[in-house]
Structure formats: C-alpha cells, structure tokens
Amino acid sequence: MTNPYGQPQQPYGGQPQQPYGQQPYPQSGATPAQPYPQQPYGQPAPYGQPAFGGAPGGDLSSIKDYKGWAIGCIFLMWIIAIFAIMKSNEVQSYKMQGNAAMAQQASQTTKTLCLVATILGALGWVVAIIMIIISLVAASEVHSYYCTGSYC
C-alpha cells in the first residue's frame, strides 16, 4: 500500500505485513517446522511476577475466596453476607490479575465478614428460638376468665 506521496506505507505499529498464510518466526529457537519454541510441560513460563509468598513461582490458587461460606451467610445475616460475597468476587478478580497481595487482603476481609455474619446470625437465631419458647410457655399459662355455667 502506498501513501499519496508515492512512498510505501507501513501498517499501524511500523511492522511490515506478511503475505497471507506466512507467519514471522521469533528469533530464538524457531524453525519452519516449529515456528514458536515450546515450553516444557510442568514448567511455568517465567513472567517475573512475584506470587503469593513474595517469591516467583508461587501459587495464586492457594488463596481462598470463601464464596460458599459467604453465600451460606445469607440465611444468618444477609446484610453482612452481601458485602462478603462482593469481597469474595474481588478475590477472584485479583487472582485473575495476578495481584497476590490484594487477593490475600480481600480473602482475609471476606473471612472476617463471614465470621461476623455467622456469629451474629447464630446469636440472632438462638435469641429468636428462646423468645418463641418463652412466648409459648407464657401463652399456655394464660387462663380464660370467660364463665359458663356454675364453675365461675
């Protein structure tokens, strides 16, 4: 493709276009039979990103998101459980970005919110059950003073 001044025009990015069906080969270890060098199986590609422990090569999947616990807290204390679910979603997004420090912090916050929701929800259920028992006992003690006949 030429520009209006008769000079060959480079596509966006300054790289010349390859004819259809031909691919450029990387410089290191590439052959026409194998255009891109293969990584051995079981070896992670060296990205240089420090992982969970601060050292390269750590495992982000070891950071828990506590999503099941957060969803279960809806039946205990739903207001806090909603925030726990939101934090659990943040853990997943930070893990996908490779940000181990923020994923760990969001995981700890999710765990704390779930623990608070569980304790408050359990106390609420215990108080509710005790109140129901007290009201049933009190209702059975109420006597009716409606008189019929000679037994008043």
PDB file of all heavy atoms in Angstrom, residues 17 36-37 53 73 76 83 97 109 117 132 139:
ATOM      1  N   GLN A  17       3.616  -6.048   6.762  1.00  0.00           N
ATOM      2  CA  GLN A  17       2.650  -7.140   6.732  1.00  0.00           C
ATOM      3  C   GLN A  17       3.234  -8.336   6.003  1.00  0.00           C
ATOM      4  O   GLN A  17       3.933  -8.189   5.001  1.00  0.00           O
ATOM      5  CB  GLN A  17       1.359  -6.708   6.054  1.00  0.00           C
ATOM      6  CG  GLN A  17       0.559  -5.734   6.864  1.00  0.00           C
ATOM      7  CD  GLN A  17      -0.739  -5.388   6.156  1.00  0.00           C
ATOM      8  OE1 GLN A  17      -0.880  -5.555   4.957  1.00  0.00           O
ATOM      9  NE2 GLN A  17      -1.696  -4.904   6.925  1.00  0.00           N
ATOM     10  N   TYR A  36       7.259 -21.547  16.861  1.00  0.00           N
ATOM     11  CA  TYR A  36       7.454 -20.935  18.161  1.00  0.00           C
ATOM     12  C   TYR A  36       8.071 -21.956  19.105  1.00  0.00           C
ATOM     13  O   TYR A  36       7.636 -23.106  19.153  1.00  0.00           O
ATOM     14  CB  TYR A  36       6.121 -20.434  18.732  1.00  0.00           C
ATOM     15  CG  TYR A  36       5.517 -19.349  17.887  1.00  0.00           C
ATOM     16  CD1 TYR A  36       4.500 -19.629  16.988  1.00  0.00           C
ATOM     17  CD2 TYR A  36       5.993 -18.052  17.967  1.00  0.00           C
ATOM     18  CE1 TYR A  36       3.966 -18.635  16.190  1.00  0.00           C
ATOM     19  CE2 TYR A  36       5.477 -17.051  17.186  1.00  0.00           C
ATOM     20  CZ  TYR A  36       4.464 -17.341  16.297  1.00  0.00           C
ATOM     21  OH  TYR A  36       3.947 -16.361  15.514  1.00  0.00           O
ATOM     22  N   PRO A  37       9.094 -21.576  19.874  1.00  0.00           N
ATOM     23  CA  PRO A  37       9.702 -22.532  20.793  1.00  0.00           C
ATOM     24  C   PRO A  37       8.703 -22.966  21.858  1.00  0.00           C
ATOM     25  O   PRO A  37       7.928 -22.160  22.355  1.00  0.00           O
ATOM     26  CB  PRO A  37      10.882 -21.767  21.397  1.00  0.00           C
ATOM     27  CG  PRO A  37      10.598 -20.330  21.153  1.00  0.00           C
ATOM     28  CD  PRO A  37       9.715 -20.262  19.935  1.00  0.00           C
ATOM     29  N   GLY A  53       3.750 -15.958  47.994  1.00  0.00           N
ATOM     30  CA  GLY A  53       4.725 -15.895  49.065  1.00  0.00           C
ATOM     31  C   GLY A  53       5.733 -14.776  48.884  1.00  0.00           C
ATOM     32  O   GLY A  53       6.611 -14.609  49.700  1.00  0.00           O
ATOM     33  N   CYS A  73     -24.005 -17.484  54.444  1.00  0.00           N
ATOM     34  CA  CYS A  73     -24.290 -16.475  55.477  1.00  0.00           C
ATOM     35  C   CYS A  73     -25.545 -15.668  55.173  1.00  0.00           C
ATOM     36  O   CYS A  73     -26.013 -14.915  56.032  1.00  0.00           O
ATOM     37  CB  CYS A  73     -23.090 -15.542  55.639  1.00  0.00           C
ATOM     38  SG  CYS A  73     -21.705 -16.304  56.470  1.00  0.00           S
ATOM     39  N   LEU A  76     -28.087 -16.293  57.647  1.00  0.00           N
ATOM     40  CA  LEU A  76     -27.769 -15.892  59.007  1.00  0.00           C
ATOM     41  C   LEU A  76     -27.876 -14.382  59.184  1.00  0.00           C
ATOM     42  O   LEU A  76     -28.608 -13.906  60.055  1.00  0.00           O
ATOM     43  CB  LEU A  76     -26.356 -16.363  59.376  1.00  0.00           C
ATOM     44  CG  LEU A  76     -26.161 -17.875  59.362  1.00  0.00           C
ATOM     45  CD1 LEU A  76     -24.693 -18.211  59.530  1.00  0.00           C
ATOM     46  CD2 LEU A  76     -26.993 -18.519  60.453  1.00  0.00           C
ATOM     47  N   PHE A  83     -21.977  -8.071  51.508  1.00  0.00           N
ATOM     48  CA  PHE A  83     -20.636  -7.494  51.411  1.00  0.00           C
ATOM     49  C   PHE A  83     -19.571  -8.584  51.337  1.00  0.00           C
ATOM     50  O   PHE A  83     -18.559  -8.426  50.659  1.00  0.00           O
ATOM     51  CB  PHE A  83     -20.375  -6.560  52.590  1.00  0.00           C
ATOM     52  CG  PHE A  83     -21.188  -5.301  52.523  1.00  0.00           C
ATOM     53  CD1 PHE A  83     -22.249  -5.111  53.380  1.00  0.00           C
ATOM     54  CD2 PHE A  83     -20.905  -4.324  51.595  1.00  0.00           C
ATOM     55  CE1 PHE A  83     -23.013  -3.958  53.313  1.00  0.00           C
ATOM     56  CE2 PHE A  83     -21.656  -3.168  51.521  1.00  0.00           C
ATOM     57  CZ  PHE A  83     -22.722  -2.985  52.382  1.00  0.00           C
ATOM     58  N   GLN A  97      -5.928 -11.163  37.879  1.00  0.00           N
ATOM     59  CA  GLN A  97      -4.976 -10.130  37.503  1.00  0.00           C
ATOM     60  C   GLN A  97      -3.554 -10.489  37.920  1.00  0.00           C
ATOM     61  O   GLN A  97      -2.602  -9.863  37.474  1.00  0.00           O
ATOM     62  CB  GLN A  97      -5.352  -8.798  38.160  1.00  0.00           C
ATOM     63  CG  GLN A  97      -6.643  -8.216  37.675  1.00  0.00           C
ATOM     64  CD  GLN A  97      -7.078  -7.017  38.508  1.00  0.00           C
ATOM     65  OE1 GLN A  97      -6.366  -6.577  39.406  1.00  0.00           O
ATOM     66  NE2 GLN A  97      -8.253  -6.491  38.219  1.00  0.00           N
ATOM     67  N   THR A 109     -10.491 -10.189  54.432  1.00  0.00           N
ATOM     68  CA  THR A 109     -11.684  -9.392  54.699  1.00  0.00           C
ATOM     69  C   THR A 109     -12.942 -10.237  54.533  1.00  0.00           C
ATOM     70  O   THR A 109     -13.883 -10.135  55.331  1.00  0.00           O
ATOM     71  CB  THR A 109     -11.736  -8.170  53.757  1.00  0.00           C
ATOM     72  OG1 THR A 109     -10.522  -7.440  53.901  1.00  0.00           O
ATOM     73  CG2 THR A 109     -12.916  -7.275  54.076  1.00  0.00           C
ATOM     74  N   ALA A 117     -20.786 -12.406  60.345  1.00  0.00           N
ATOM     75  CA  ALA A 117     -22.156 -12.758  59.954  1.00  0.00           C
ATOM     76  C   ALA A 117     -22.596 -14.066  60.606  1.00  0.00           C
ATOM     77  O   ALA A 117     -23.747 -14.194  61.033  1.00  0.00           O
ATOM     78  CB  ALA A 117     -22.268 -12.866  58.438  1.00  0.00           C
ATOM     79  N   ILE A 132     -39.408 -17.569  71.165  1.00  0.00           N
ATOM     80  CA  ILE A 132     -40.562 -18.389  70.768  1.00  0.00           C
ATOM     81  C   ILE A 132     -40.943 -19.337  71.900  1.00  0.00           C
ATOM     82  O   ILE A 132     -42.131 -19.491  72.227  1.00  0.00           O
ATOM     83  CB  ILE A 132     -40.260 -19.163  69.465  1.00  0.00           C
ATOM     84  CG1 ILE A 132     -40.220 -18.185  68.288  1.00  0.00           C
ATOM     85  CG2 ILE A 132     -41.290 -20.262  69.220  1.00  0.00           C
ATOM     86  CD1 ILE A 132     -39.725 -18.810  67.001  1.00  0.00           C
ATOM     87  N   ALA A 139     -48.031 -18.284  76.840  1.00  0.00           N
ATOM     88  CA  ALA A 139     -49.371 -18.418  76.286  1.00  0.00           C
ATOM     89  C   ALA A 139     -50.107 -19.594  76.914  1.00  0.00           C
ATOM     90  O   ALA A 139     -51.336 -19.562  77.070  1.00  0.00           O
ATOM     91  CB  ALA A 139     -49.297 -18.600  74.773  1.00  0.00           C
TER      92      ALA A 139
END
